[in-house]
Amino acid sequence: MTLLDHARAQERGAAQEAHEKDAKQGLLVQPKPPAPAPMKVTFAAALPPFYRDTVAAWLRDDCPSLDVGGLVVGDAETTATLWCKSSGVLAGRPFFDATFEELGCRVAWKVEEGTLLDVSKGKVAVATVTGPARRLLLGERTALNALSRASGVASAARRCVEVARSCGWAGHVAGTRKTTPGFRIVEKYALLVGGAATHRLDLSQMVMLKDNHVWQAGSITKAVQTAKTAAGFSAKIEVEARDLKEALEAARAGADIVMLDNFTPSSLKAAARSLKAAFPSVLVEASGGITLKTMAQYLSEDVDVVSQGALTQGYACVDFSLKLPKPAGATCNV
């Protein structure tokens, strides 16, 4: 063995000895395990069975009497293709399915729920629907209305969640109760498909005490105390606060969640920091006029939830169409 080989052997021995010493003292930095694969959840399984009654009501609303257009096309069985013509997240399959199942038609999907549809290279075939031509057209607009709106909500939710994650923020992006009357179940479901939180589903799920409740009760403390007599241990209580003083009063009164409403980004971050320092277990929600463009300004480690009414109010729809086979030689524009 040369002197160089001997020196290298000593270095390796010293390094091994140091490694074993650090291991005994727990000083070694352990490699992080690989991140778990995202859990695939079928949110349709959470829908109440009576959503089909809602779909049936939509059909009754759209065809309360004679369907003369249906008379024109007749009952010959045919297969129509569902096309997506604008990019977005596919959402609303259960409602599309229920519409045509109510009419005795069959749907075969080519794309999974929650998939981002990209039409930059042309429209995308999403599904086929088979059944009597009259019934396909009877359900067409109702099914497309539900699908395009659900996909619009899911697309908006996905964009907001992506902004939050790109900023390294791990809190909840949430909708609000600003939903379309009679269409709430679709919009709340679509928020989940898009990766956002639903917020409270309705008045019965969580107690939300806003300025009107407080003014009528006399104070935040009285409002919270009264709510607790009925909410008990099973329902969370959230209080809307317009400044840090109100936020601290709500937390002292026992609120589980404090909404900092209509704050500027800088004042919200300061109030959230102070509130969390005093009440670490209280959840802090940022809300009021927050949009996709401004959301990043409101994110901080002291904010747990950012809610946006715009996710279910004024969203852009995804464009879908349902087309029956075009006969050879037809000249009409379809």
Side-chain angles (χ1 to χ4, degrees):
M1 178 183 292
T2 66
L3 290 175
L4 180 59
D5 291 337
H6 181 70
R8 287 174 176 171
Q10 285 185 321
E11 288 177 358
R12 288 195 295 269
Q16 180 64 29
E17 184 179 338
H19 179 87
E20 292 174 354
K21 181 179 179 181
D22 287 345
K24 291 179 181 179
Q25 295 178 353
L27 298 177
L28 291 180
V29 177
Q30 299 297 326
K32 292 183 178 180
M39 181 182 296
K40 184 175 176 57
V41 178
T42 304
F43 292 110
L47 290 171
F50 54 78
Y51 81 89
R52 295 176 177 276
D53 298 335
T54 301
V55 171
W58 295 342
L59 288 168
R60 286 193 296 272
D61 177 70
D62 196 39
C63 188
S65 184
L66 299 177
D67 175 21
V68 179
L71 173 67
V72 172
V73 299
D75 282 321
E77 183 166 293
T78 188
T79 296
T81 301
L82 174 66
W83 295 97
C84 178
K85 300 188 293 181
S86 65
S87 297
V89 175
L90 176 65
R93 278 181 36 167
F95 307 99
F96 190 93
D97 287 343
T99 300
F100 285 109
E101 287 170 6
E102 184 74 16
L103 297 169
C105 301
R106 305 178 300 282
V107 181
W109 291 94
K110 302 175 182 291
V111 181
E112 292 296 321
E113 188 84 309
T115 299
L116 178 60
L117 301 171
D118 181 6
V119 301
S120 60
K121 296 182 180 180
K123 62 183 182 180
V124 177
V126 178
T128 58
V129 188
T130 302
R134 177 174 68 88
R135 291 176 176 263
L136 291 179
L137 297 186
L138 183 60
E140 174 194 11
R141 180 42 54 194
T142 296
L144 292 178
N145 284 347
L147 192 70
S148 63
R149 285 160 173 76
S151 297
V153 172
S155 300
R158 178 75 59 84
R159 287 192 293 270
C160 286
V161 171
E162 287 175 348
V163 167
R165 301 299 175 255
S166 69
C167 294
W169 187 71
H172 296 282
V173 174
T176 70
R177 208 164 58 84
K178 294 177 181 178
T179 54
T180 307
F183 204 64
R184 181 207 315 263
I185 188 68
V186 180
E187 290 168 339
K188 291 292 191 179
Y189 166 83
L191 285 172
L192 293 175
V193 174
T198 62
H199 212 290
R200 59 177 180 161
L201 295 172
D202 49 52
L203 283 173
S204 300
Q205 190 190 36
M206 182 176 75
V207 182
M208 171 79 79
L209 301 177
K210 301 173 75 69
D211 49 10
N212 286 322
H213 300 91
V214 172
W215 294 339
Q216 192 66 22
S219 71
I220 288 176
T221 300
K222 288 181 180 178
V224 173
Q225 289 175 343
T226 302
K228 281 183 171 292
T229 63
F233 66 89
S234 61
K236 289 184 177 180
I237 296 175
E238 179 168 9
V239 176
E240 176 188 273
R242 296 169 298 175
D243 54 40
L244 179 58
K245 180 181 178 182
E246 289 185 350
L248 291 171
E249 181 183 353
R252 282 193 293 267
D256 302 288
I257 308 167
V258 174
M259 176 195 290
L260 302 180
D261 194 37
N262 290 312
F263 282 59
T264 63
S266 58
S267 62
L268 180 133
K269 290 178 179 179
R273 188 179 308 114
S274 297
L275 183 59
K276 278 289 191 180
F279 298 93
S281 63
V282 169
L283 295 179
V284 176
E285 175 180 345
S287 190
I290 300 173
T291 66
L292 174 65
K293 291 182 178 180
T294 64
M295 184 180 69
Q297 302 173 38
Y298 291 86
L299 305 179
S300 85
E301 61 183 1
D302 301 305
V303 174
D304 303 289
V305 182
V306 172
S307 59
Q308 297 183 44
L311 293 179
T312 55
Q313 189 178 56
Y315 50 87
C317 295
V318 177
D319 189 12
F320 292 94
S321 65
L322 186 68
K323 294 299 181 182
L324 275 62
K326 183 178 179 179
T331 58
C332 58
N333 181 22
V334 294

